[in-house]
Amino acid sequence: MTRVDANRTAAGCDRCGVDRLCLFGRIAGLRIRRIRTRRGTPLFRSGERVEALFAIRSGCVKEVDVSTGRDGTILNFATAGEILSLQSLQCVPSSTTAIAVECSFVCVVPWNAVNQASLSAPRIVRELMQVIAKAGLEARESLALVRDKEARQRVAGFLLNMHARSQVRSGSTCELRLPMNRDDIANYLGLRSETVSRCFTELARQHLIDVKAKRVRILEVSELRRIYSDA
Amino acid sequence: MTRVDANRTAAGCDRCGVDRLCLFGRIAGLRIRRIRTRRGTPLFRSGERVEALFAIRSGCVKEVDVSTGRDGTILNFATAGEILSLQSLQCVPSSTTAIAVECSFVCVVPWNAVNQASLSAPRIVRELMQVIAKAGLEARESLALVRDKEARQRVAGFLLNMHARSQVRSGSTCELRLPMNRDDIANYLGLRSETVSRCFTELARQHLIDVKAKRVRILEVSELRRIYSDA
DNA sequence: CGGTTCCTTGACACAGGTCAATGATTGTGG
DNA sequence: CCACAATCATTGACCTGTGTCAAGGAACCG
């Protein structure tokens, strides 16, 4: 599956589904590396000057705040079509570490390439600003998710989110493959893996989802939404 | 107190302490309204197209996500020298409502003024991008604050944060005036007002702070930091 | 096939939510 | 300037959701 994606996306930039704007198409001709990261390998580390944007073509990369003890806290999961390191604008040292959750293919777009491109096409700057602002909005959304909801709601929200994001790429399907393990989900949601497990089991018992380890089938989107938003 | 601030800041733009870049100085000459909002009055509402940046000169404005039932969830408190509505970039409808927590004085800078200014001085765009990115970082910080910490740590973190922000403006002092009530603090921290109260009392019992309703004196910054970051 | 790593489930404890009552502070009109 | 009301803050008792600890089973990988 991952391999198929890899082949497809490695073909060229014409099919690149990067979120909201295809930077690559616009700044074509400038040096853009494509790299492959194994699971567990960092794309960049906290404290490093990140001199590039990272666009995920396939796979999944988690962004971790390692400053907060233990094994850090996961701030988001970037999946195919999404951009990483928007916060580490230009050459400001990154506050996060990005680690591949599974084998991933990534485009590395140097900031100076972006800057060059933006000189010739000022719109790019504006769109980039919107992408950055959107990243901020997403942080706020996950804030609302973990701050005010209880465990089952968070898990429902997480599933709905992953579902929606996979819809964008893979069209309408209820099959969902969660690339990350329960610990990562729990970390992201501010819970414990046991609690995540219990919520999965509970939602499955209500026939809203069907869980088989990392494979989840969404059975009742509307009911999940209800659980997520009310109570 | 508020009145004194108001007089001072109303004097002119030369003293404006707006965060990281003084937009006002740079785009001087363009039409910038100054307004005064009473406590409880909204600056802008969720769903509206916000066509301006709002720079807080004095007072305190809370940004609320009203989509999540009840009386909404507070995403941040903007105090003197900080900028609001960075997320509602250009004319995208705002996802939040901004409500004055106390009587506040605000500069309203229309986006097209910013755009005009940025044509003549491209640096402004880059700095603006950094300010926006920084807003995203702050959202991530509060995410980490409420996701992983327990009540006492959150309250300690909140006090340290408010303290640090007031330091920037008013120099070194341990006196802190919290403009918002316990319910707002609790909402912001994902707790209940009773819990916030209990934490205040507990921290005071340990002689780390001194609480008198909305007035807080920080006695042991280092110890507060320890509580915030460990365990 | 054996060894990890990952997932699930149970029993128990405790942090924080809920409900309720009281006290402090602020604001308003006589 | 005082009295009254309204909002706000504090404290206590109790209860629930989630963390913790522990054990067993499933999936994955060399």
Side-chain angles (χ1 to χ4, degrees):
Chain A
M1 182 63 152
T2 304
R3 199 153 301 270
V4 173
D5 274 355
N7 287 334
R8 183 171 62 75
T9 53
C13 283
D14 50 342
R15 289 265 210 63
C16 177
V18 165
D19 200 11
R20 287 196 58 185
L21 86 160
C22 182
L23 280 165
F24 311 103
R26 294 179 196 235
I27 55 184
L30 296 170
R31 58 200 170 79
I32 295 175
R33 279 191 304 141
R34 301 219 185 110
I35 61 176
R36 175 175 178 278
T37 41
R38 299 178 180 285
R39 155 202 164 105
T41 309
L43 275 179
F44 55 84
R45 289 198 187 76
S46 169
E48 286 178 5
R49 288 174 175 278
V50 181
E51 288 161 356
L53 284 174
F54 294 83
I56 315 300
R57 301 184 69 97
S58 72
C60 179
V61 178
K62 62 181 175 185
E63 215 177 337
V64 186
D65 178 359
V66 291
S67 74
T68 58
R70 287 268 317 130
D71 24 40
T73 76
I74 298 174
L75 294 166
N76 71 7
F77 296 106
T79 57
E82 293 169 346
I83 300 180
L84 221 57
S85 75
L86 286 167
Q87 283 71 22
S88 317
L89 206 49
Q90 310 288 359
C91 295
V92 178
S94 174
S95 60
T96 60
T97 296
I99 297 174
V101 161
E102 61 182 341
C103 177
S104 304
F105 289 81
V106 180
C107 273
V108 185
V109 188
W111 270 110
N112 55 32
V114 177
N115 290 337
Q116 269 185 50
S118 68
L119 289 180
S120 55
R123 310 193 32 183
I124 287 188
V125 179
R126 186 163 308 175
E127 297 194 17
L128 192 57
M129 256 170 42
Q130 293 189 358
V131 174
I132 295 172
K134 196 191 165 209
L137 284 178
E138 276 159 15
R140 287 169 163 224
E141 271 167 34
S142 41
L143 178 60
L145 176 63
V146 304
R147 208 218 286 104
D148 309 307
K149 315 272 179 188
E150 47 190 42
R152 197 157 27 106
Q153 297 180 287
R154 297 187 204 183
V155 171
F158 174 73
L159 289 175
L160 288 168
N161 185 356
M162 291 301 286
H163 183 55
R165 282 155 70 192
S166 86
Q167 296 291 61
V168 173
R169 301 187 297 276
S170 337
S172 180
T173 170
C174 296
E175 283 292 350
L176 200 56
R177 200 186 115 270
L178 302 176
M180 69 297 284
N181 65 26
R182 297 289 190 268
D183 266 308
D184 281 347
I185 298 174
N187 182 321
Y188 176 66
L189 294 176
L191 301 169
R192 293 306 159 126
S193 62
E194 295 94 325
T195 307
V196 173
S197 242
R198 276 189 263 265
C199 288
F200 276 167
T201 315
E202 171 71 8
L203 292 172
R205 204 190 52 71
Q206 296 179 259
H207 303 293
L208 307 185
I209 62 175
D210 197 51
V211 186
K212 195 81 177 279
K214 288 194 162 62
R215 302 208 88 86
V216 178
R217 175 188 280 272
I218 310 285
L219 301 176
E220 295 283 353
V221 182
S222 56
E223 191 61 12
L224 276 181
R225 286 218 189 84
R226 205 188 53 70
I227 287 183
Y228 169 67
S229 50
D230 80 23
Chain B
M1 183 63 155
T2 304
R3 198 154 303 269
V4 174
D5 275 354
N7 287 334
R8 182 170 63 74
T9 55
C13 283
D14 50 342
R15 289 264 212 66
C16 176
V18 165
D19 199 12
R20 287 197 59 180
L21 87 160
C22 182
L23 280 166
F24 309 103
R26 296 179 194 234
I27 56 184
L30 296 170
R31 57 200 170 78
I32 295 174
R33 279 191 303 142
R34 301 217 186 112
I35 60 175
R36 175 175 179 276
T37 40
R38 298 178 181 286
R39 154 200 163 107
T41 310
L43 275 179
F44 55 85
R45 289 198 188 76
S46 169
E48 286 178 7
R49 290 174 174 276
V50 181
E51 288 162 355
L53 285 174
F54 294 83
I56 315 300
R57 301 184 69 97
S58 71
C60 179
V61 178
K62 62 180 173 184
E63 215 176 337
V64 186
D65 177 358
V66 291
S67 73
T68 56
R70 286 274 311 133
D71 25 40
T73 76
I74 298 174
L75 294 166
N76 71 7
F77 296 106
T79 57
E82 293 169 346
I83 299 180
L84 221 56
S85 75
L86 285 167
Q87 284 72 22
S88 317
L89 206 49
Q90 312 286 0
C91 294
V92 178
S94 173
S95 60
T96 60
T97 296
I99 298 174
V101 161
E102 62 182 341
C103 177
S104 305
F105 289 81
V106 180
C107 271
V108 185
V109 189
W111 270 111
N112 55 33
V114 177
N115 290 337
Q116 269 185 49
S118 68
L119 288 181
S120 55
R123 307 192 37 182
I124 288 190
V125 178
R126 186 163 308 176
E127 296 194 18
L128 192 57
M129 257 172 40
Q130 293 189 357
V131 174
I132 294 172
K134 194 191 166 209
L137 284 177
E138 276 159 14
R140 287 170 163 223
E141 270 168 35
S142 41
L143 178 60
L145 176 62
V146 303
R147 208 221 282 107
D148 308 308
K149 315 271 181 188
E150 48 190 40
R152 197 155 28 104
Q153 298 181 286
R154 297 187 204 183
V155 171
F158 174 74
L159 290 176
L160 288 169
N161 185 355
M162 293 300 288
H163 183 55
R165 281 154 71 190
S166 85
Q167 296 291 61
V168 174
R169 302 186 296 276
S170 336
S172 179
T173 171
C174 295
E175 282 292 350
L176 200 56
R177 199 185 116 270
L178 303 175
M180 69 297 286
N181 64 25
R182 297 290 191 268
D183 265 308
D184 280 348
I185 298 175
N187 182 322
Y188 175 67
L189 293 176
L191 301 169
R192 293 305 160 127
S193 62
E194 295 94 327
T195 306
V196 173
S197 242
R198 276 188 262 265
C199 289
F200 276 167
T201 315
E202 171 71 7
L203 291 173
R205 204 190 52 71
Q206 298 180 257
H207 304 292
L208 308 185
I209 61 175
D210 196 51
V211 185
K212 194 83 178 279
K214 289 194 162 63
R215 304 208 86 88
V216 178
R217 174 188 281 272
I218 310 284
L219 301 177
E220 295 283 355
V221 182
S222 56
E223 191 61 11
L224 276 181
R225 286 219 188 86
R226 205 189 53 72
I227 286 182
Y228 169 68
S229 50
D230 80 23

